[in-house]
Amino acid sequence: TDAPPQNTKAKPESQKKPSKKGRGGMIVLEPVAGTRDFIPSDMRYRAWLFSKFHAVAKKYGFEEYDAPILESEELYKRKAGEEITQQMYNFTDKSEQQVALRPEMTPSLARLILSQGKSLLMPVKWYSIPQCWRYETTTRGRKREHYQWNMDIWGVPNVSAEAELLAAICEFFKLVGLTSQEVGIKISSRKVLETVMKGLNISSEQFAPACVIVDKLDKLQKEDVVQQLSILGISEESSLELISIMQIKDIDELSQKIGEESVAELRQLFDLVKGYGVAEYLRFDASIVRGLSYYTGVVFEAFSISRNSELSRAICGGGRYDRILTTYGAKQDTPACGFGFGDVVILEILRDLNKIPKEVSRHVVNDLVVPFNEDLRPQACKVVTMLRDAGIPAEVYLPKTKKIANTFSYAERIDADRVIMIAPDEWNAGEVKVKYMKLQPKGVGEEEKNTVGVQFAVKVDDLL
Ligand SMILES: Nc1ccc(Br)nc1
């Protein structure tokens, strides 16, 4: 198995691992382990999914930003034992800089917010769809990269920001046809955990690492979680009490346990989301912690409601992270909250539930313009440009036209509606020859348009 790139100082040629050549000197055709190619038939699904992300962000008034995939490793140097920082795709570059392929976008966003300083008017509502990386040993066979829709609101301390983000996620669900019977969002708050931990005399220094550990409850045995908490100095009794409170699914019951003041924000949040009309997607669940150490308040996680009992993988997740800037040396913090929404799980769910429109799989070109011979190619380029300028996706047949039949099979391959032939006699008469490759929607005009395969003359000006 590939050892993770621990100390990757530049190695002398002799020690470098030879690249795995294919048979007989051919390069390896597969992408690097854990990474994906997107040929056009795959890229159409990714582009369709991203178009929904962009549409929701635009509808909610978010502004798009980006930052380099490559960041200084120090952005991710956190000591809370998170999986995300232990799987960093990091290396030493040729100027001896410790760099990493970003494992998440939030630290880059915090860097941008800090770099903008006072010039940045709050609140800030920014979004991005970055590719994020991790170094997984290939034995686990998991992906090493994914695209993650990030939506963040900075400068808003109250839960109106979380409500806006939850509404945006539900807006996306509605946009792709996912109902509240098929997906949902579980919501809690780390302030609940903070209150409970304080009541159990768990120190504030242990808060973030303890959250990272109890987040594993759905993956590890309870005993293992208790054992990992004991390493932080948390007694078995306190751990079991913490774990039992995390089983609570009702805010009233939680209020009984830790007091109404500690659940006030959650009550306010559930009131606000009713205003957005998305309450049906949302439910309180004290077991939601999320695995990132910097969360400080409300946390949430979307999941698929699977028909069989199999555990559903998180669709997206996020929360409030009010104290991230001072961890990067800022003199004061700015309240922030956001979510990350990966491209892999959601596409699997949408495919499984047959929510992706058939046309997403199709490459669309409406017209193919074919010059009868090379002398007529300039005329063909003129006609295809006229069509394109009118907003019609159109191609001009690029190979030399040897047999007209070849152009028709190409037209079928690109699923074109029409083949428009530039032929000498017709061109001299100001006309082209048109052949419809498939039945057109009723009422688009003359009878010929609904007679597939018939060729007929059309004035160039009547083509549009
Ligand atoms: N953080 C992270 C990065 C890349 C993938 Br794939 N999953 C999680």
Side-chain angles (χ1 to χ4, degrees):
T1 57
D2 306 327
Q6 299 308 338
N7 173 10
T8 52
K9 289 209 179 313
K11 291 190 175 70
E13 280 310 310
S14 58
Q15 286 181 29
K16 274 190 179 168
K17 188 188 279 192
S19 71
K20 291 180 285 185
K21 280 276 188 201
R23 203 177 301 286
M26 168 76 89
I27 57 158
V28 173
L29 300 181
E30 288 70 38
V32 169
T35 68
R36 297 167 291 171
D37 295 325
F38 288 88
I39 61 174
S41 54
D42 299 322
M43 195 65 200
R44 281 193 280 276
Y45 287 89
R46 181 177 129 189
W48 171 81
L49 175 66
F50 286 16
S51 74
K52 304 303 175 191
F53 291 157
H54 286 292
V56 172
K58 180 180 172 66
K59 187 171 181 178
Y60 277 58
F62 282 69
E63 299 173 89
E64 191 171 14
Y65 71 98
D66 197 5
I69 278 186
L70 192 67
E71 284 276 13
S72 167
E73 191 184 16
E74 68 169 341
L75 233 55
Y76 314 104
K77 285 282 184 200
R78 307 192 295 257
K79 297 177 180 58
E82 298 147 280
E83 184 181 69
I84 198 169
T85 55
Q86 294 169 329
Q87 293 185 320
M88 212 142 34
Y89 211 124
N90 59 332
F91 56 97
T92 306
D93 73 9
K94 290 184 167 59
S95 53
E96 299 291 302
Q97 297 301 306
Q98 295 291 109
V99 292
L101 298 181
R102 65 187 168 208
E104 55 173 331
M105 196 59 161
T106 305
S108 299
L109 175 57
R111 180 175 60 76
L112 265 60
I113 298 288
L114 281 173
S115 70
Q116 295 299 300
K118 296 265 181 279
S119 71
L120 197 54
L121 300 179
M122 295 290 160
V124 158
K125 292 167 62 174
W126 286 7
Y127 86 100
S128 190
I129 311 178
Q131 187 180 39
C132 295
W133 292 79
R134 68 183 171 193
Y135 192 90
E136 276 275 356
T137 56
T138 44
T139 40
R140 284 196 70 171
R142 294 200 302 173
K143 285 185 182 22
R144 288 179 171 169
E145 52 77 22
H146 71 168
Y147 289 85
Q148 189 191 57
W149 178 36
N150 276 247
M151 295 263 278
D152 290 84
I153 299 174
W154 284 68
V156 178
N158 44 305
V159 291
S160 59
E162 285 93 327
E164 178 81 352
L165 292 172
L166 290 165
I169 294 170
C170 297
E171 184 86 29
F172 169 86
F173 288 154
K174 292 179 180 178
L175 193 56
V176 296
L178 285 172
T179 70
S180 56
Q181 309 308 310
E182 294 165 324
V183 292
I185 306 178
K186 292 174 184 170
I187 302 167
S188 187
S189 172
R190 284 215 177 159
K191 287 181 182 165
V192 166
L193 282 178
E194 207 170 13
T195 307
V196 172
M197 287 189 197
K198 275 186 184 137
L200 297 169
N201 297 316
I202 297 171
S203 70
S204 54
E205 287 72 43
Q206 309 295 34
F207 172 63
C211 286
V212 173
I213 292 168
V214 297
D215 174 60
K216 301 174 193 171
L217 263 171
D218 60 347
K219 294 179 270 298
L220 297 180
Q221 296 295 325
K222 182 160 68 169
E223 297 68 40
D224 296 336
V225 170
V226 171
Q227 199 278 326
Q228 290 188 26
L229 289 170
S230 67
I231 296 169
L232 290 180
I234 298 173
S235 71
E236 180 177 1
E237 184 190 2
S238 296
S239 299
L240 291 173
E241 172 64 9
L242 186 60
I243 292 168
S244 74
I245 288 177
M246 287 175 62
Q247 310 315 309
I248 296 175
K249 306 272 189 279
D250 175 87
I251 295 185
D252 294 334
E253 185 188 341
L254 184 66
S255 173
Q256 295 292 325
K257 200 91 180 171
I258 64 171
E260 183 57 25
E261 201 273 333
S262 299
V263 300
E265 266 191 355
L266 283 166
R267 292 220 195 266
Q268 195 188 357
L269 178 56
F270 278 95
D271 274 348
L272 285 178
V273 295
K274 289 183 188 119
Y276 284 104
V278 298
E280 61 182 302
Y281 284 96
L282 309 177
R283 64 182 77 164
F284 169 74
D285 185 327
S287 70
I288 296 303
V289 189
R290 296 299 292 166
L292 294 171
S293 61
Y294 47 67
Y295 286 134
T296 56
V298 168
V299 283
F300 50 85
E301 187 172 291
F303 60 97
S304 62
I305 301 169
S306 51
R307 278 153 302 186
N308 47 31
S309 60
E310 92 210 4
L311 206 64
S312 77
R313 286 180 298 167
I315 294 173
C316 67
R320 179 163 288 277
Y321 53 99
D322 284 347
R323 295 192 285 273
I324 196 168
L325 293 189
T326 46
T327 68
Y328 288 138
K331 290 195 176 22
Q332 68 177 46
D333 279 309
T334 299
C337 59
F339 66 78
F341 195 133
D343 68 321
V344 176
V345 171
I346 188 63
L347 268 177
E348 285 175 7
I349 292 167
L350 290 170
R351 282 199 174 97
D352 289 350
L353 295 174
N354 204 20
K355 302 286 186 181
I356 303 176
K358 186 83 186 80
E359 62 265 17
V360 171
S361 64
R362 283 193 217 110
H363 169 48
V364 177
V365 172
N366 297 120
D367 288 337
L368 174 65
V369 180
V370 175
F372 246 53
N373 57 50
E374 289 309 295
D375 294 343
L376 285 164
R377 184 166 292 281
Q379 290 78 347
C381 296
K382 180 174 167 31
V383 169
V384 78
T385 301
M386 179 189 79
L387 295 165
R388 287 168 174 169
D389 289 349
I392 298 169
E395 285 197 44
V396 59
Y397 188 66
L398 295 176
K400 287 185 178 174
T401 310
K402 292 196 171 63
K403 286 196 292 185
I404 281 296
N406 294 352
T407 69
F408 292 150
S409 57
Y410 181 76
E412 280 168 4
R413 193 179 105 197
I414 62 170
D415 200 22
D417 295 323
R418 294 189 301 188
V419 173
I420 295 165
M421 288 163 278
I422 313 299
D425 298 348
E426 285 76 8
W427 185 258
N428 291 334
E431 294 174 333
V432 292
K433 291 172 77 171
V434 174
K435 172 181 178 178
Y436 273 87
M437 303 301 290
K438 48 189 173 179
L439 276 182
Q440 295 308 301
K442 281 289 175 211
V444 288
E446 318 78 55
E447 189 44 41
E448 294 95 339
K449 288 192 178 182
N450 289 306
T451 314
V452 174
V454 169
Q455 296 180 29
F456 54 96
V458 172
K459 287 219 170 301
V460 173
D461 298 344
D462 294 343
L463 269 180
L464 297 180

